[in-house]
Amino acid sequence: MKKGLLIVLSGPSGVGKGTIYSHLLKIMPDLTVSVSATTRSPRAGEKDGVQYYFLDKGEFIKKRANGEFLEWAETVGNFYGTPKAPVIEKLESGKDVLLEIDVKGAHQIKAAYPDCVTIFVLPPSEEELKKRLVGRGTETEDQVKARLELAKSELSESVLFDYRIVNDDLDRAVREVADIINKIKGERKC
Ligand code: ADP
Ligand code: 5GP
């Protein structure tokens, strides 16, 4: 059986990765999304096991020591990691899996799974990125500042990704990600 395709969607916080993948799932219902673990606190409306598995630092470190993460990173003051077993299981059973992760995690995945496809989502401008992060209203002023500071170095690494797309018009960005996935799937032999 043909293995599933591993897709990494990355880019700075607030660029619209989560928005893109939720729209992508509507037009690609067979795509599965990995639920990450994090030590950050849930935002209003977020549920454990849905947006994230919310762990305390000790639990995260224990799982990391047990080799339970495919990749992990400390970013914007918290730990984030992709649980390994469910991703491997889905790929082996032929399902495509999308990871929405930061740039450090994306590099780890590419090194371990060179056949994966990495897509970097760029903002139309740094001003627009700031507007989106502030507009989302989920971070404090200091947290927004830290995320924007990190975004500068992350943006400079976009050239290391297989594909780069600009999230200006949402529908077009979603279509571009779908086109990339369909193109790669069409070209794969195994
Ligand atoms: P990320 O997952 O990359 O952190 P989000 O998906 O949470 O980013 O998006 C951040 C904010 O930007 C949200 O309020 C979202 O509604 C908004 N947004 C996403 N894509 C666009 C777009 N193409 N145009 C305008 N606003 C957008
Ligand atoms: P947020 O706190 O806004 O949900 O996420 C902050 C950053 O962590 C985002 O850039 C997001 O893509 C990234 N992230 C989410 N899950 C993971 C993960 O499992 N691994 C890594 N490396 N980054 C993640």
Side-chain angles (χ1 to χ4, degrees):
M1 186 207 278
K2 216 176 183 179
K3 279 189 187 168
L5 176 66
L6 184 58
I7 304 140
V8 177
L9 192 66
S10 194
S13 175
V15 76
K17 304 179 295 293
T19 309
I20 290 174
Y21 90 62
S22 63
H23 282 73
L24 194 63
L25 288 178
K26 291 182 196 153
I27 57 170
M28 303 188 103
D30 292 339
L31 197 62
T32 58
V33 175
S34 162
V35 178
S36 296
T38 183
T39 58
R40 86 150 160 73
S41 308
R43 292 173 186 148
E46 286 186 332
K47 288 197 178 71
D48 188 46
V50 180
Q51 288 81 12
Y52 283 105
Y53 295 105
F54 294 98
L55 306 179
D56 65 35
K57 216 164 179 178
E59 290 170 324
F60 191 101
I61 289 169
K62 206 165 147 191
K63 285 184 184 290
R64 190 178 72 190
N66 284 341
E68 291 182 38
F69 294 126
L70 207 55
E71 62 71 39
W72 70 274
E74 185 171 7
T75 191
V76 290
N78 287 296
F79 289 132
Y80 294 82
T82 303
K84 193 175 192 170
V87 174
I88 301 297
E89 201 177 289
K90 283 174 189 153
L91 291 173
E92 291 293 330
S93 67
K95 289 185 181 137
D96 303 325
V97 183
L98 186 137
L99 310 181
E100 190 255 272
I101 60 177
D102 84 330
V103 171
K104 293 186 282 294
H107 293 328
Q108 292 173 50
I109 295 290
K110 192 64 181 176
Y113 301 91
D115 288 345
C116 75
V117 55
T118 57
I119 305 171
F120 192 99
V121 184
L122 291 153
S125 65
E126 287 188 27
E127 294 73 41
E128 175 63 18
L129 180 64
K130 183 175 178 184
K131 212 168 115 188
R132 287 184 193 173
L133 256 183
V134 172
R136 191 169 69 186
T138 48
E139 273 76 35
T140 63
E141 205 176 310
D142 281 351
Q143 287 166 339
V144 167
K145 243 182 175 172
R147 285 175 184 233
L148 289 173
E149 199 49 48
L150 178 65
K152 286 184 189 152
S153 61
E154 291 178 327
L155 289 168
S156 71
E157 293 183 34
S158 71
V159 291
L160 300 171
F161 282 67
D162 297 328
Y163 295 90
R164 285 164 293 285
I165 63 151
V166 180
N167 181 21
D168 41 12
D169 178 74
L170 180 62
D171 288 341
R172 196 190 39 72
V174 172
R175 233 177 16 251
E176 277 186 30
V177 175
D179 287 348
I180 292 167
I181 295 172
N182 286 328
K183 175 177 171 280
I184 303 282
K185 281 170 70 75
E187 288 169 356
R188 281 166 93 225
K189 291 184 184 66
C190 57

